Amino acid sequence: MTTEAYEVYRDSWGIPHLRASDPLRLSYAQGRVTVRDRAWQLEVERHRAQGSSASFLGADCVPWDRFARQARLDDTARRCFEALDPDTAAWVAAYVDGVNAGLAEGPARDDRFAAAGHTPAPWEPWVPLSIWIGTHILFAGFATKLWRDRVARALGDAATTLFATDGPGTAGSNGWLVPGDRTATGAAIIAGDPHRFIEDPGVYQQIRLACPEYDVLGLAVPGVPGLAHFGHAGSVAWAITNAMADYQDLYTERLRPAAYGVEALGPDGEWEPCLLYTS
C-alpha cells in the first residue's frame, strides 16, 4: 500500500495540482483526488468496461454490457496488467490504492449513488486498464469490418465500396505542429483532434502532476493514471488525434456441439474443444 505523503493545491478554477516525493506516491494521489472529484464517472466507466452497468443504470445499458462481455474487455485488461513490467504494474496499482482509499469519501459527495442504491466495491489492480480499453474500443476499425462483412454477404463483395465510410474524402482526422519560426510568439504550437463530443462530465480531467522526476500539466482520462492524450512539461508537449487505426483482427468462428460441450474449428482445420469463459 502506497503512503499518502503528497500535497494538493487547487487553483481558482478548482483544478488540482498534485506534488509528491516520487511517482508512486504521485499516482496514489492522482487516484485519491480523482475518486473524490469524479466518483460517479469512475463507477460508471468501470462497470461499462466490466459489462455490468445495467445492474444500477437500468435495462437500456444491457446491449453495451453484452458487447463488453462478448469482447471480454475486462478479461483483456486483466491479462494486460499481468503482462506489465514490475515498475509499471506498481505505478498502476498505486493509482488503484488511491481510488480505494477514497471510495467512501467520493460517493458520499454525490447523491446519485444513494438515488441508485449503489455502493462501489474496491477496485481490482487492472481496473485502470479496463477503463482505458472500454474508453477506446470504438476508436478503431472493427465496426467497419463487421459492416463490410454484412454488406458482402447480403449484396456481394463489389457492393462494399458503395457504403464505405473510411475511404479518401469520407473520414479523417488532423493533428498540427507549427514550429516556433512560424509563430508570432516564437513558441511552437501543437494541436490534436480527439473527436469528442461536449460531455458532462467531460471525458478528460485537467490536472497537474509533479514529483522530482517530472512536472506535467494536462488532461487525464479519469480512472487512468498519468496524462496519456494531452499534456506538457514546459519544454515538451504532446497531443493525440483519432486516426481510426486498424489494430484489431476479427475471426469468424465455426462452432458445433460435442459430447463434452462445444468444439470450434481451429486454424489448422481441426475441431478443438472450447474453453468456457464466464464473467
Side-chain angles (χ1 to χ4, degrees):
M1 176 69 70
T2 308
T3 65
E4 297 188 35
Y6 61 88
E7 299 175 2
V8 180
Y9 161 74
R10 290 184 184 269
D11 60 26
S12 59
W13 298 99
I15 297 169
H17 299 244
L18 311 182
R19 184 175 298 276
S21 57
D22 60 61
L24 291 184
R25 289 181 174 84
L26 187 59
S27 184
Y28 176 95
Q30 186 181 4
R32 184 70 182 267
V33 167
T34 301
V35 76
R36 184 182 190 278
D37 292 351
R38 304 283 190 103
W40 181 256
Q41 182 180 14
L42 294 189
E43 192 67 3
V44 169
E45 296 302 327
R46 172 197 183 185
H47 280 273
R48 278 175 53 81
Q50 293 177 342
S52 53
S53 59
S55 63
F56 67 101
L57 295 178
D60 289 346
C61 296
V62 168
W64 173 268
D65 285 351
R66 182 182 296 115
F67 163 73
R69 289 172 179 250
Q70 290 174 334
R72 298 176 65 174
L73 303 186
D74 191 57
D75 180 62
T76 299
R78 177 186 58 79
R79 291 184 286 116
C80 287
F81 180 83
E82 292 172 353
L84 292 176
D85 64 87
D87 289 344
T88 304
W91 181 67
V92 175
Y95 185 94
V96 172
D97 287 344
V99 170
N100 286 335
L103 274 182
E105 177 188 8
R109 301 174 67 243
D110 195 320
D111 57 11
R112 285 173 291 189
F113 284 92
H118 180 74
T119 301
W123 282 26
E124 301 287 354
W126 61 84
V127 170
L129 301 185
S130 188
I131 290 177
W132 179 263
I133 294 173
T135 300
H136 293 83
I137 188 64
L138 297 182
F139 283 67
F142 82 92
T144 298
K145 294 179 180 180
L146 292 174
W147 169 242
R148 284 177 173 170
D149 178 69
R150 177 71 179 89
V151 171
R153 286 187 286 110
L155 302 176
D157 291 340
T160 57
T161 57
L162 299 177
F163 299 92
T165 60
D166 59 348
T170 61
S173 189
N174 59 90
W176 297 91
L177 173 61
V178 182
D181 60 2
R182 293 181 175 270
T183 67
T185 63
I189 299 174
I190 187 172
D193 182 10
H195 290 215
R196 302 301 310 192
F197 298 102
I198 296 176
E199 300 162 292
D200 184 16
V203 71
Y204 292 117
Q205 168 201 28
Q206 192 167 353
I207 194 169
R208 181 180 181 181
L209 306 173
C211 64
E213 287 79 357
Y214 50 81
D215 186 346
V216 295
L217 173 67
L219 302 176
V221 175
V224 180
L227 302 175
H229 283 180
F230 301 93
H232 75 83
S235 60
V236 62
W238 57 96
I240 61 102
T241 187
N242 189 340
M244 298 297 183
D246 183 8
Y247 64 90
Q248 298 160 335
D249 293 322
L250 303 182
Y251 299 88
T252 301
E253 291 186 330
R254 294 180 60 187
L255 306 176
R256 73 180 186 183
Y260 50 80
V262 178
E263 291 181 328
L265 187 64
D268 57 359
E270 300 293 330
W271 290 94
E272 304 174 5
C274 292
L275 298 177
L276 179 63
Y277 168 75
T278 60
S279 176

